[in-house]
Amino acid sequence: MFDKILIANRGEIAIRVMRTCREMGIATVAVYSDFDREARHVLYADEAMHLGGNTPAESYLNTDRIIAAARETGAQAIHPGYGFLAENSGFARAVREAGITWIGPPPEAIDQMGDKVSSRKVAIAAAVDPVPGTTEACMSSDEVIAFGTENGWPVAIKAAYGGGGKGLRVAHSEEEAAEALQGAQREGEAYFGNGECYLERYLERPHHVEVQILADAHGNAVWIGERDCSAQRRHQKLVEETPSPVVDDDLRTRMGDAAVRLAKHVGYQNAGTIECLVQDGEFWFLEMNTRLQVEHCVTEMTAGIDLVSAQIRIAAGEALWFDQDHLDRRGHAIEMRINAEDPVLFLPSPGFITRYREPGGFGVRVDSGYGEGFEVSQFYDNLVAKLIVWGENREEATARALRALGEFEITGIRTNIPAQKLILGHDDFAAGVVTTKWVENHLDLSSLAEIDVPEAESVSGEEPEPRIERTVTVEVGARRYEVKVFVPESQAGQAAAPAVRKKKKRGLRDSAAGADSGSVTTPMQGTVLKILAEVGDQVTAGEAVVVLEAMKMENNINATRDGIVKEIRVAEGDTVGAGEILLVIE
Ligand code: MV4
């Protein structure tokens, strides 16, 4: 077994992995960006290595620095968490070439599954049915029309390297074929550097159900259970649960067996997830996620298996220590993602957390990378905590979820807790009829429209003073070291600037506040995907003028007033910071 593991991630997942390491007697190495110098995952770890910068490219995607950090600290293995480098086969290979163990699947399996056209072919070869569609690249809108005519409309057009809803377009008729294909190709090109697309019959009322598998290096594979992740908005999952309310024992076994067949067929190792669509009691393979997922916790709670521990043991070469017949699931688990975001607009709400009180009690688990006095940055995703509850059955788990949501106190930033209460308390959720369209089409958020940023009555989590860098000389034994220290400005001596408290960053409503302002600004850092207006265009307040990609989502930025577009200050592809002026309306 390993003595030391480096965790190439931040936030709740880094701590999640470190907790298991500690239980296993394995030392942990955290990595961090400038912003995360005092983040919770850094404080939790046994050692920490600075990566540099704040952008993901400078820090958590900085493969050379991460491998160098593992070498320097003597870590024998790297766990990538989810996101960032978790499904980067090039990184997995580089880790291996550096003589370090990669706690994840073989890079070849990542590649086969990363290309969705190839993963559909693999599924067919493993006798697992994908959603009916094509296994060759679709080059022209004539092919879309031919497919729709033969198989019926609507047709889903998907980028081969897409994911998370990126590069997915739906054509409802011949007339929409050309534009939908272009849109999917453009997004595939923009996000994944490849515009290749394929076609599928579009299912209109699917549940998103995925199967967790574990496979070892000796040819053994098992399925652990399914998760229903249908409650989502704009491809951001909000609630995940197991078992799925639309999966019975027979369907569960068929899905599980299919997942194991597929895993064995590609020589998969470690933890993986087979994503399916389920509609009217039937399932189809959609894609495979070759990583540990955010929602793995609900599987852990019902199966009684620590999936991270399993990942580490498998990576260390252990053969699976149980077989399918010994796996058991008990009760019901629900996970709610608690995000720093406006509960109505679903836009990021970064800032300082002034009060933070987690719920507790029987059957309640909270995985978080934040706490009182910590800051949620615009640079990283806005997941503040995962609230996971277990109950004897779905009804008990739902009641516990609502009780725990009621106890959760977070102030200083907006969170989606009010929206989560509406979802978990809804009759449709109780009835198990929440499909992938439900939050967008059926959830009424109007009762939340007036809720402002929650503020603590007595602020105990003071906003930390800005810190500045100083170099000091220390001697360790006889050896001289130059050491950088980061001290509060007020303690940094005469040379320091007077301590000035940073103003709190505000969410969208505040940045759009100057009501008749003609300047359209960005509420957050992001990339300009598309500019929907030209200089001279007449626009009306509320009309989308720019599409901004931020937090892995496309966000429409709207005109702040009626008028004529006088000036456009950015171009498609530009990276923009929070508060930057995009265009001016007169
Ligand atoms: C689909 C679909 C319906 N029919 N494919 C969205 C993200 C990507 N992983 C696959 N997605 C979908 N593919 C066919 N043929 C509906 C979705 C879909 C979806 C899937 C899972 C979770 C949420 C979703 C929300 C909207 C659409």
Side-chain angles (χ1 to χ4, degrees):
M1 187 42 68
F2 312 110
D3 301 315
K4 194 186 274 189
I5 292 177
L6 181 143
I7 296 89
N9 215 303
R10 67 183 302 282
E12 69 86 16
I13 192 58
I15 296 171
R16 160 75 195 86
V17 174
M18 290 178 200
R19 281 179 162 150
T20 288
C21 290
R22 191 153 293 169
E23 290 170 17
M24 296 174 80
I26 300 169
T28 55
V29 182
V31 291
Y32 59 95
S33 63
D34 284 353
F35 181 89
D36 281 341
R37 187 159 272 124
E38 290 168 272
R40 251 184 84 185
H41 75 282
V42 174
L43 304 181
Y44 191 91
D46 298 312
E47 290 173 76
M49 293 291 287
H50 181 231
L51 295 173
N54 272 329
T55 63
E58 291 169 295
S59 53
Y60 301 101
L61 294 176
N62 192 339
T63 55
D64 292 346
R65 293 281 297 191
I66 292 168
I67 290 172
R71 280 219 169 104
E72 215 166 300
T73 55
Q76 299 128 331
I78 294 182
H79 193 302
Y82 53 70
F84 292 126
L85 296 164
E87 292 178 281
N88 184 322
S89 59
F91 181 62
R93 286 192 178 94
V95 169
R96 287 187 167 182
E97 276 155 25
I100 301 164
T101 301
W102 166 249
I103 305 175
E108 300 75 31
I110 300 178
D111 284 336
Q112 275 191 66
M113 292 303 168
D115 168 0
K116 307 295 187 271
V117 174
S118 121
S119 78
R120 287 173 61 81
K121 286 183 183 155
V122 171
I124 292 166
V128 174
D129 289 338
V131 182
T134 60
T135 43
E136 298 304 326
C138 169
M139 306 305 288
S140 75
S141 56
D142 290 345
E143 292 168 52
V144 180
I145 293 168
F147 183 87
T149 308
E150 195 176 319
N151 299 279
W153 302 91
V155 174
I157 305 168
K158 298 184 175 186
Y161 292 87
K166 286 280 171 307
L168 166 66
R169 285 287 190 281
V170 181
H172 295 88
S173 66
E174 254 184 73
E175 289 70 45
E176 292 179 9
E179 200 186 321
L181 178 61
Q182 272 167 30
Q185 287 172 333
R186 174 172 58 75
E187 258 183 39
E189 191 64 59
Y191 287 98
F192 313 103
N194 189 316
E196 185 185 323
C197 288
Y198 63 101
L199 307 175
E200 282 177 1
R201 211 182 87 210
Y202 184 71
L203 306 174
E204 307 212 61
R205 301 166 285 103
H207 276 249
H208 169 138
V209 182
E210 56 189 33
V211 182
Q212 177 71 53
I213 62 109
L214 282 176
D216 66 19
H218 310 276
N220 307 302
V222 292
W223 58 272
I224 318 278
E226 86 286 8
R227 297 184 285 260
D228 194 313
C229 312
S230 301
Q232 58 83 45
R233 187 180 183 277
R234 294 164 77 188
H235 305 286
Q236 302 293 308
K237 293 169 184 164
L238 292 166
V239 180
E240 302 105 344
E241 61 176 321
T242 187
S244 165
V246 296
V247 173
D248 62 17
D249 285 343
D250 173 62
L251 181 58
R252 177 172 306 108
T253 307
R254 288 193 289 127
M255 290 180 74
D257 289 345
V260 165
R261 271 203 309 282
L262 183 52
K264 285 188 171 168
H265 188 86
V266 294
Y268 199 84
Q269 289 173 36
N270 218 278
T273 299
I274 283 82
E275 262 188 44
C276 300
L277 293 179
V278 170
Q279 192 171 293
D280 306 323
E282 221 20 80
F283 77 96
W284 295 275
F285 168 76
L286 200 57
E287 50 194 71
M288 181 165 187
N289 297 316
T290 53
R291 62 166 188 277
L292 182 73
Q293 290 195 278
V294 179
E295 60 270 26
H296 72 277
C297 309
V298 293
T299 305
E300 295 186 324
M301 302 294 275
T302 49
I305 292 173
D306 179 333
L307 289 170
V308 172
S309 163
Q311 286 190 291
I312 294 170
R313 291 172 68 176
I314 287 169
E318 252 187 79
L320 274 179
W321 44 99
F322 50 82
D323 56 30
Q324 193 69 54
D325 298 337
H326 287 88
L327 277 167
D328 218 348
R329 287 159 298 277
R330 171 146 183 202
H332 200 99
I334 302 175
E335 174 179 291
M336 290 140 278
R337 298 193 190 190
I338 309 303
N339 298 325
E341 68 188 8
D342 183 299
V344 179
L345 301 171
F346 289 87
L347 285 174
S349 174
F352 283 96
I353 300 174
T354 50
R355 182 196 283 278
Y356 183 87
R357 299 278 190 279
E358 286 178 355
F362 177 57
V364 175
R365 164 178 174 182
V366 180
D367 279 18
S368 173
Y370 295 88
E372 205 150 289
F374 288 81
E375 185 183 359
V376 181
S377 159
Q378 57 165 341
F379 288 110
Y380 308 114
D381 78 47
N382 55 4
L383 182 69
V384 173
K386 303 189 304 203
L387 170 58
I388 306 116
V389 297
W390 180 89
E392 190 71 41
N393 51 48
R394 193 167 187 268
E395 201 182 346
E396 188 182 291
T398 306
R400 187 162 290 147
L402 284 164
R403 186 269 291 171
L405 283 169
E407 287 176 12
F408 220 142
E409 269 187 77
I410 302 177
T411 63
I413 54 170
R414 289 189 172 94
T415 75
N416 64 344
I417 289 174
Q420 291 286 17
K421 288 178 183 167
L422 285 184
I423 296 171
L424 273 293
H426 203 286
D427 290 345
D428 286 352
F429 186 84
V433 296
V434 168
T435 65
T436 53
K437 302 275 187 65
W438 183 85
V439 175
E440 274 136 350
N441 296 345
H442 296 286
L443 184 64
D444 178 8
L445 295 162
S446 59
S447 63
L448 307 181
E450 298 306 311
I451 296 177
D452 201 5
V453 182
E455 286 298 346
E457 292 117 48
S458 64
V459 175
S460 48
E462 273 256 322
E463 195 170 309
E465 207 179 314
R467 286 175 178 254
I468 50 179
E469 185 181 318
R470 286 282 179 272
T471 303
V472 296
T473 307
V474 297
E475 279 176 12
V476 179
R479 197 155 160 194
R480 185 177 180 282
Y481 290 89
E482 298 262 297
V483 183
K484 281 190 280 182
V485 293
F486 298 86
V487 290
E489 276 179 354
S490 58
Q491 294 166 31
Q494 295 303 84
V500 182
R501 288 283 150 122
K502 273 187 281 176
K503 272 292 244 189
K504 271 193 196 118
K505 295 186 192 81
R506 292 292 187 170
L508 173 73
R509 250 179 252 162
D510 310 279
S511 62
D516 60 356
S517 159
S519 298
V520 178
T521 59
T522 60
M524 62 214 141
Q525 192 220 8
T527 306
V528 176
L529 255 198
K530 197 151 180 62
I531 299 168
L532 305 169
E534 284 176 29
V535 172
D537 281 1
Q538 169 77 47
V539 294
T540 42
E543 176 184 339
V545 284
V546 170
V547 183
L548 186 76
E549 194 272 329
M551 307 288 163
K552 295 187 275 179
M553 286 195 293
E554 280 189 28
N555 302 283
N556 284 345
I557 309 295
N558 301 335
T560 42
R561 50 167 284 185
D562 297 350
I564 308 281
V565 177
K566 189 185 148 218
E567 194 187 338
I568 298 179
R569 297 203 186 167
V570 290
E572 288 177 9
D574 282 1
T575 304
V576 291
E580 206 166 300
I581 297 175
L582 301 175
L583 51 80
V584 181
I585 302 166
E586 207 172 50

